[in-house]
Amino acid sequence: MIKIGMMIGDRYEILEKIGTGGMSDVYKAKCHKLNRFVAIKVLKQEFSENANFVSKFRTEAQAAAGLMHPNIVNVYDVGEENGIYYFVMEMVEGITLKKYIEKKARLSVKEAISIAIQVSMGIEAAHNNHIIHRDIKPQNIMISKDGKVKVTDFGIAKAATSNTITSNVMGSVHYTSPEQARGGYSDEKSDIYSLGITMFEMLTGRVPFNGETTVAIAIKHIQEELPSPREYVPEIPISVEQIVFKCCQKSPDRRYQSMAELIDDLKQSLLNPDEDFVKVVEPDRRASTRMITDREMERIKRASAEKDNLDESMRLNRANYGNHEDGEDEDYEEDYDPRMEKITTILAIVAAIIIGCIVIVLVGRALGLFHLSGSKDGEDAAQEEQTEQVEMPGVTGMAVKMAQDRLRKLGLEPEVKYVENAAYPQNQVISANVEEGMMVDPGTVITLTVSSGTEGVSVPKATGITFEEAKNTLEKAGFVVNKNESSSSTVENNYVISQNPESGTRAPKGSAVTIVVSTGAEDSKIRVPDLMGKEEDEAVAMLVEAGLPVGTVGQINNEDFPEGQVCYQSYSVGSFVDPGTPIDIKISMGGKAATYTYSGNITGPTREEDPDYNTEGTTVKVTIVTADGTKLLDTQTTSFPVAVNYSGIKSPTGTITFEYTNVKRVETGTAEDGTPTTEEVKEEKKIERTIEFTEER
């Protein structure tokens, strides 16, 4: 008997009941060994002495325990203690897809497709492990608070062999495939059918087939054509409609043959929603709708009657942890069918012939007897295919930030190297390692040599220490720290792999030092894809494919990216994040470009800039020029400060230049009377200051 507060397995403390079903109860618990919350599914006491129910319960645990995927509710542990059978699952804080659909009435096309892709990826992982779910429905799909979609409830799943599974087990009748409804075989394509029905419900807010009894609904799955979802929601794109139709074909041979095929079409529908690219195999006699036979009708009624005799008590509550309807499985004895045996024999012979042909071709190619020109042509084409190159822009004399931005827009990777140089102002590009006008591949690293002025600060060593230590060291030296992440099998997690500029070089105080921090081995992290410049739909598809949820989606004005393109992502490209980390994006609204202001008082040359500057009466020419060459000020003055106020500036940085003549007397000798003789010496001076403007809001 489970009681609140009791311990199970010497590690799981029962906190509260969060769900109940026909055969099991689900509790929230705390694992004291790993200090985390988990969900524990416990077989009800009245069934714990029934070997059949215990077997079913263990089958569910074993089917799910072998699967580890971001889109599947993971099973951590299985056990039995004092007659209590239980297994421990990942605790998912969220709601079922069924509740989510009810809450929103129906989902948008983009949201429905994004969820369908994640569900498909979870089911694909199960299929790759030879597990067929057989009860895909919105009640068995969880949406966590962070937007992650997870498939749960493998209660009537079975391991797939090289042959199809023969069983009378049906999932929930509203989502069951025609072959399951007949009590016939079920395979991976049965899950595809159920997912198609689930997509129909996401898009329209209703199931396609309804009836007064489970038998009536099952017969509709077998005999009636699926209605078009566009009948209920006309704005659904044709590609999405065709995907649903292909998933829900009566004949399994006309459906998608794998989840990978379905995922490809779902992604394509995000990019080209109005394109009719879905291809369905032409119908044949086996694929056509036909009347149900008396034998099949009897089989459906028998299955339905036995399910009804359980008074719905055997409906497992899985994905919602007890708050949704769920079909309980029951294995029925399959009648011997000589036709099926004949078909199986024929298929086995055909398969043997095909395998024999493949072996002959492979051996022939190895001995040089065959030459498959098509394959060779494909290889040559792949080798000849090259990425379109870009032209290296001129960056010499440009502010380093502006040069970096320009290179990144072209798909190039800027790297900064500082050197002391009196001829160039601080943070101005002196040269690049690639000449202007040269054609280079996207992704090429461009090394920019940048002036640190004459008062550069030595960059301290930041490698080989933790990120916190490196950040503290660099900031104490007066630098700004930029952090990038990269996986490494040799550098420990959170330790610095490299830095730019390198230690020992000199760079302006206040400039940025970029450090690359290890995220440990790549296996446990997910690399963040490059979303910049992508359309919103494509960016969402890329995140879904990477297994990362979409965070908040905002809009901002940005002149660098056309309207509708991603111009910001919350994690840098190529960095590694934990599975389930939401990625925020911002979409460019185009339009108004960023502008800047500059107001205040310009002080004259300081003693640090020129110890010989005479503050009394020296005429100084003062100019202010922005990084794009716009002259804001050109004046002469004998007194400081000079008040300025400018707005609408199009560049973020600029340069103040002071030009004047220093006049001083220098001793040239001694007069007859012993007094020193002097003469007036003039020295032309030019002093430059780099300034940053304030962005207008």
Side-chain angles (χ1 to χ4, degrees):
M1 184 70 179
I2 295 292
K3 294 182 180 180
I4 304 301
M6 73 179 294
M7 296 287 289
I8 296 181
D10 294 327
R11 64 185 295 185
Y12 304 111
E13 179 186 359
I14 302 297
L15 301 178
E16 60 177 312
K17 181 187 282 190
I18 57 177
T20 185
M23 195 174 77
S24 59
D25 294 320
V26 182
Y27 296 87
K28 181 178 180 180
K30 183 175 183 180
C31 174
H32 285 274
K33 281 192 177 180
L34 297 177
N35 194 29
R36 65 180 177 185
F37 292 108
V38 295
I40 299 184
K41 180 173 282 192
V42 180
L43 182 65
K44 286 186 175 180
Q45 193 69 32
E46 56 264 37
F47 302 122
S48 61
E49 296 179 1
N50 187 310
N52 186 35
F53 288 118
V54 171
S55 175
K56 294 177 189 297
F57 192 75
R58 285 176 170 166
T59 297
E60 175 181 358
Q62 290 168 358
L67 303 174
M68 293 294 290
H69 190 272
N71 297 115
I72 292 177
V73 175
N74 295 313
V75 172
Y76 299 139
D77 194 8
V78 181
E80 183 268 330
E81 183 176 295
N82 299 326
I84 298 174
Y85 296 89
Y86 67 91
F87 64 85
V88 184
M89 303 180 294
E90 173 185 3
M91 183 71 193
V92 180
E93 298 284 355
I95 62 174
T96 65
L97 177 57
K98 184 73 173 179
K99 299 267 186 201
Y100 189 61
I101 295 172
E102 291 172 354
K103 182 180 177 181
K104 298 189 71 172
R106 63 180 177 85
L107 309 186
S108 69
V109 173
K110 290 181 182 178
E111 190 172 25
I113 296 304
S114 176
I115 291 173
I117 291 174
Q118 294 188 62
V119 173
S120 298
M121 292 170 72
I123 299 173
E124 182 185 31
H127 289 179
N128 289 341
N129 283 273
H130 311 296
I131 299 294
I132 300 168
H133 191 286
R134 301 197 304 166
D135 196 16
I136 295 296
K137 58 184 178 181
Q139 294 93 324
N140 287 343
I141 297 167
M142 294 293 295
I143 300 179
S144 64
K145 289 181 179 178
D146 62 2
K148 196 71 175 175
V149 179
K150 291 178 176 285
V151 180
T152 187
D153 195 355
F154 285 79
I156 61 174
K158 279 211 172 189
T161 65
S162 57
N163 301 317
T164 55
I165 295 171
T166 301
S167 171
N168 285 336
V169 174
M170 288 196 300
S172 298
V173 70
H174 286 101
Y175 309 91
T176 195
S177 66
E179 59 269 21
Q180 286 174 289
R182 288 192 182 96
Y185 69 91
S186 60
D187 61 5
E188 289 87 346
K189 294 182 281 296
S190 301
D191 286 347
I192 292 175
Y193 182 95
S194 299
L195 179 55
I197 300 296
T198 300
M199 291 169 58
F200 187 102
E201 185 174 358
M202 283 195 287
L203 294 164
T204 65
R206 53 171 291 160
V207 291
F209 300 122
N210 243 320
E212 295 182 359
T213 65
T214 56
V215 172
I217 299 172
I219 292 173
K220 287 184 178 182
H221 278 289
I222 296 170
Q223 292 187 344
E224 292 189 10
E225 293 295 337
L226 187 82
S228 169
R230 299 178 78 184
E231 292 180 13
Y232 307 103
V233 185
E235 59 265 30
I236 292 175
I238 186 168
S239 64
V240 178
E241 176 196 47
Q242 294 304 312
I243 288 173
V244 173
F245 277 153
K246 186 170 182 178
C247 287
C248 298
Q249 292 292 307
K250 303 299 180 188
S251 168
D253 294 335
R254 300 185 71 215
R255 298 173 203 155
Y256 289 98
Q257 298 302 293
S258 69
M259 279 296 171
E261 291 182 15
L262 173 56
I263 292 170
D264 287 343
D265 274 5
L266 287 170
K267 291 177 182 176
Q268 181 73 359
S269 72
L270 284 174
L271 303 177
N272 304 295
D274 297 318
E275 183 180 327
D276 187 9
F277 55 80
V278 179
K279 304 301 179 187
V280 180
V281 178
E282 288 301 318
D284 54 23
R285 183 177 180 276
R286 291 177 300 163
S288 60
T289 302
R290 60 183 175 84
M291 294 300 293
I292 190 168
T293 66
D294 293 339
R295 183 180 181 185
E296 289 170 337
M297 175 65 79
E298 180 61 32
R299 187 178 293 170
I300 293 170
K301 287 182 177 179
R302 178 157 56 91
S304 177
E306 295 198 26
K307 289 165 75 71
D308 292 341
N309 286 339
L310 292 175
D311 295 325
E312 302 296 315
S313 66
M314 303 313 302
R315 294 186 178 274
L316 293 178
N317 173 21
R318 298 176 178 95
N320 195 29
Y321 298 142
N323 293 323
H324 63 271
E325 180 184 358
D326 185 8
E328 176 57 54
D329 64 329
E330 182 66 47
D331 292 331
Y332 299 99
E333 183 180 352
E334 178 65 26
D335 295 330
Y336 172 71
D337 189 343
R339 292 178 301 168
M340 182 59 68
E341 182 179 14
K342 183 177 180 181
I343 292 172
T344 304
T345 302
I346 294 173
L347 290 175
I349 294 172
V350 172
I353 294 172
I354 292 173
I355 292 172
C357 292
I358 292 173
V359 171
I360 292 172
V361 171
L362 291 176
V363 172
R365 289 189 66 188
L367 297 176
L369 301 177
F370 301 132
H371 174 67
L372 302 181
S373 59
S375 174
K376 181 65 177 175
D377 292 342
E379 292 174 2
D380 292 343
Q383 292 174 356
E384 292 172 2
E385 182 181 354
Q386 294 185 358
T387 305
E388 185 177 351
Q389 292 187 316
V390 296
E391 183 178 346
M392 175 66 188
V395 292
T396 301
M398 191 179 292
V400 63
K401 185 178 184 301
M402 181 176 292
Q404 288 174 311
D405 290 343
R406 179 171 294 185
L407 292 172
R408 289 193 182 104
K409 286 180 194 175
L410 295 173
L412 304 173
E413 295 295 330
E415 186 177 87
V416 176
K417 173 185 175 184
Y418 283 99
V419 296
E420 288 193 26
N421 191 301
Y424 285 83
Q426 268 190 2
N427 290 315
Q428 195 171 83
V429 177
I430 301 171
S431 63
N433 67 329
V434 177
E435 294 183 7
E436 179 181 352
M438 286 186 63
M439 302 302 293
V440 293
D441 294 328
T444 301
V445 176
I446 306 297
T447 302
L448 302 176
T449 302
V450 180
S451 171
S452 64
T454 56
E455 299 180 359
V457 179
S458 179
V459 180
K461 181 181 179 181
T463 56
I465 57 178
T466 65
F467 165 67
E468 291 75 18
E469 293 172 329
K471 185 172 185 291
N472 186 49
T473 300
L474 291 169
E475 287 180 346
K476 277 186 177 179
F479 296 101
V480 176
V481 177
N482 287 340
K483 177 185 178 184
N484 286 333
E485 293 182 323
S486 178
S487 64
S488 173
S489 58
T490 57
V491 179
E492 187 178 344
N493 180 46
N494 199 45
Y495 276 70
V496 178
I497 301 171
S498 62
Q499 67 181 90
N500 180 40
E502 296 179 355
S503 62
T505 59
R506 302 184 73 81
K509 199 168 187 177
S511 61
V513 176
T514 300
I515 59 176
V516 179
V517 181
S518 171
T519 59
E522 185 172 354
D523 295 343
S524 61
K525 299 284 185 176
I526 297 178
R527 183 186 292 271
V528 177
D530 185 2
L531 309 177
M532 303 296 285
K534 304 294 190 297
E535 298 291 334
E536 180 180 355
D537 293 346
E538 185 179 359
V540 169
M542 291 173 67
L543 287 174
V544 169
E545 183 177 4
L548 296 170
V550 181
T552 59
V553 179
Q555 291 184 318
I556 57 172
N557 289 316
N558 191 305
E559 67 171 337
D560 297 330
F561 292 87
E563 184 177 356
Q565 290 187 356
V566 176
C567 59
Y568 165 85
Q569 60 186 84
S570 56
Y571 287 86
S572 58
V573 177
S575 62
F576 289 85
V577 297
D578 293 322
T581 302
I583 309 298
D584 300 335
I585 60 174
K586 290 183 181 179
I587 310 301
S588 172
M589 298 171 62
K592 183 180 177 182
T595 56
Y596 303 85
T597 63
Y598 180 60
S599 61
N601 295 314
I602 300 174
T603 59
T606 64
R607 287 298 177 190
E608 290 75 16
E609 291 172 327
D610 181 9
D612 297 325
Y613 171 66
N614 182 7
T615 59
E616 300 295 332
T618 301
T619 300
V620 181
K621 180 182 179 182
V622 183
T623 57
I624 301 178
V625 180
T626 66
D628 64 359
T630 303
K631 184 174 288 188
L632 301 179
L633 177 68
D634 188 352
T635 187
Q636 290 187 338
T637 183
T638 57
S639 63
F640 288 95
V642 177
V644 293
N645 186 10
Y646 301 103
S647 61
I649 303 170
K650 295 182 179 180
S651 295
T653 60
T655 304
I656 300 176
T657 304
F658 303 94
E659 297 178 80
Y660 55 93
T661 302
N662 272 341
V663 179
K664 56 183 178 180
R665 304 199 69 83
V666 178
E667 289 187 13
T668 58
T670 305
E672 292 181 358
D673 59 1
T675 60
T677 59
T678 62
E679 67 178 21
E680 192 176 80
V681 177
K682 295 182 179 181
E683 180 186 15
E684 301 297 325
K685 296 289 292 186
K686 182 178 181 180
I687 295 174
E688 293 181 334
R689 293 180 192 163
T690 300
I691 53 174
E692 292 186 357
F693 305 130
T694 303
E695 186 175 354
E696 290 182 322
R697 300 296 180 184

